[in-house]
Structure formats: structure tokens, C-alpha cells
Amino acid sequence: NAGVTQTPKFQVLKTGQSMTLQCAQDMNHNSMYWYRQDPGMGLRLIYYSASEGTTDKGEVPNGYNVSRLNKREFSLRLESAAPSQTSVYFCASSEPGGRKMEAFFGQGTRLTVV
Amino acid sequence: DAKTTQPNSMESNEEEPVHLPCNHSTISGTDYIHWYRQLPSQGPEYVIHGLTSNVNNRMASLAIAEDRKSSTLILHRATLRDAAVYYCMRGGTSYGKLTFGQGTILTVHP
């Protein structure tokens, strides 16, 4: 059981380049999330998807777009990367309202924008 | 706004109990209290959650104050592997979004 898988694990971009971070979960969860974590800080929510076909902005959505491709996959796109987007990105999934109420996180994508 | 308050850091010795406090004075009647921890260079992992009653699982215990304005995560015997950042959060059953604050950095000494 893989849980939440993020690709790539590491990425270096030049300012202005675009890229898509991929996330997939195999737990049949309805809800998925993208967070970013800057050094020494807590996680901040970028976007979330309560269920397949829906997406909503979180605390820090500017500069990002998301796609909930299907129930398994939730991607995060940076259209024009900026140095301020250098961070570690975490994807998570959960089944809100379920008995366990546990969110599962991926291992993270370390992104550096130069 | 994480809506919870935790100490920035705490220290413990190995094999001793650890009590990690959290203040959530504005919690609503339907909000659950969630605890997650983040080991170095890893994503957060679930520890425990509760509503009103104290809760126990294989990782920890959660003691919730009677007025629900505060709670304490209890690690019964700290190990070196428990060194992590511990996050306390509040949310409801259908509230899928977790709002992380700064958390408490737990250092465990051999």
C-alpha cells in the first residue's frame, strides 16, 4: 500500500519556467490537498479538492493552479516560477467524516527556483 | 490563523513521559482536536484526535480539558524517534482542511 506518492522528489527551476507537481493516492479518499512549507515554518494550504471535480483556494493560492484529474490524482502547476516559490511541497489526502479522520501526507517535493 | 497556541519548544529525556500542551480557547462545540507530528525531512503523520473524552492509541494519549479550551498530548515513554515537530489543530468531522501553526519542537535527549 503506497499511500500518497509525489513526483518528483527534487526539482530546480529557473525563474519563469513552468512545471507540474504530481500527486496520487491509492486509498480511495475523496479529499486531497496541496501544502507548502518554508524553512522553519508550519505548513500552509495552497489548494484543496473536497471531492473529484471540485477545487478551492487555500491560504496561499497565488501563482498556482491545480487539477483534480480523477479521484486518485491531484496536480499542482506553477505557470511562471518565482524564487518566492522555493519551498517544500506536500500533498495529502483524507476522508473527512470517516471514522478515522486521518490525513495521509506524501514525502514532499523540494523545489528550488533560481 | 491556526487558532491554537503551543510552546515553541520542549525537551525531554529518553524513556521519560512527555506532556505537550495546546491551548484552543476559541474551539467550537463540534471541533475535533487533532495532533500530527513531523519527523525531520518527512511529511506530517497523524498521531491522535479527540472530541471530548480522553483518547489512547498505540502512539500516544490525548487528555482534553473539561471545558475543551486546552488539551495535552502525552507520550508515555519518549524515545529518540519521537523527536519531531508536534502540531495541534482543531477541525470538524467534515472539515478536511488542516490549518497548521508553528508547532512544538520536541527534543529528546539520550
Side-chain angles (χ1 to χ4, degrees):
Chain A
N1 189 342
V4 178
T5 303
Q6 293 184 234
T7 55
K9 289 186 169 53
F10 301 92
Q11 184 70 50
V12 178
L13 288 179
K14 293 182 179 178
T15 298
Q17 286 185 318
S18 62
M19 80 160 296
T20 299
L21 281 63
Q22 306 287 353
C23 175
Q25 52 93 6
D26 61 3
M27 295 169 284
N28 203 36
H29 286 162
N30 276 300
S31 298
M32 298 185 73
Y33 319 86
W34 276 105
Y35 289 88
R36 62 176 287 176
Q37 185 173 36
D38 299 329
M41 307 286 287
L43 282 74
R44 291 184 293 170
L45 183 65
I46 304 171
Y47 271 94
Y48 69 102
S49 171
S51 61
E52 186 178 353
T54 67
T55 60
D56 281 292
K57 296 178 180 179
E59 304 168 72
V60 289
N62 291 342
Y64 305 95
N65 286 300
V66 290
S67 295
R68 184 73 183 268
L69 305 170
N70 47 55
K71 193 172 186 179
R72 286 189 66 247
E73 299 172 288
F74 190 38
S75 62
L76 179 71
R77 183 162 179 82
L78 286 71
E79 290 291 352
S80 179
S84 60
Q85 294 178 304
T86 293
S87 191
V88 181
Y89 291 84
F90 290 100
C91 177
S93 73
S94 72
E95 192 60 38
R99 187 175 64 85
K100 289 194 172 182
M101 296 180 65
E102 178 178 351
F104 293 82
F105 285 79
Q107 289 299 300
T109 296
R110 296 181 183 275
L111 176 67
T112 302
V113 183
V114 298
Chain B
D1 179 8
K3 302 174 183 174
T4 61
T5 305
Q6 298 176 253
N8 289 333
S9 62
M10 292 186 65
E11 297 186 20
S12 174
N13 294 317
E14 202 173 9
E15 298 191 2
E16 290 184 355
V18 181
H19 290 234
L20 297 165
C22 180
N23 186 302
H24 30 77
S25 58
T26 60
I27 194 168
S28 75
T30 57
D31 279 349
Y32 279 73
I33 300 151
H34 306 262
W35 283 84
Y36 282 71
R37 72 180 186 181
Q38 187 174 22
L39 302 173
S41 300
Q42 294 191 25
E45 64 174 349
Y46 168 85
V47 177
I48 202 166
H49 77 276
L51 184 61
T52 56
S53 304
N54 294 345
V55 184
N56 301 296
N57 65 22
R58 64 174 180 82
M59 289 181 69
S61 295
L62 176 60
I64 301 171
E66 197 169 332
D67 62 7
R68 298 201 340 114
K69 293 185 177 183
S70 65
S71 62
T72 302
L73 179 71
I74 303 166
L75 307 178
H76 295 286
R77 290 184 66 195
T79 69
L80 297 178
R81 279 199 70 254
D82 291 323
V85 181
Y86 286 78
Y87 296 99
C88 166
M89 292 169 283
R90 38 170 278 200
T93 56
S94 61
Y95 182 68
K97 296 180 293 180
L98 295 171
T99 301
F100 287 79
Q102 293 292 89
T104 296
I105 300 171
L106 176 64
T107 302
V108 180
H109 299 289

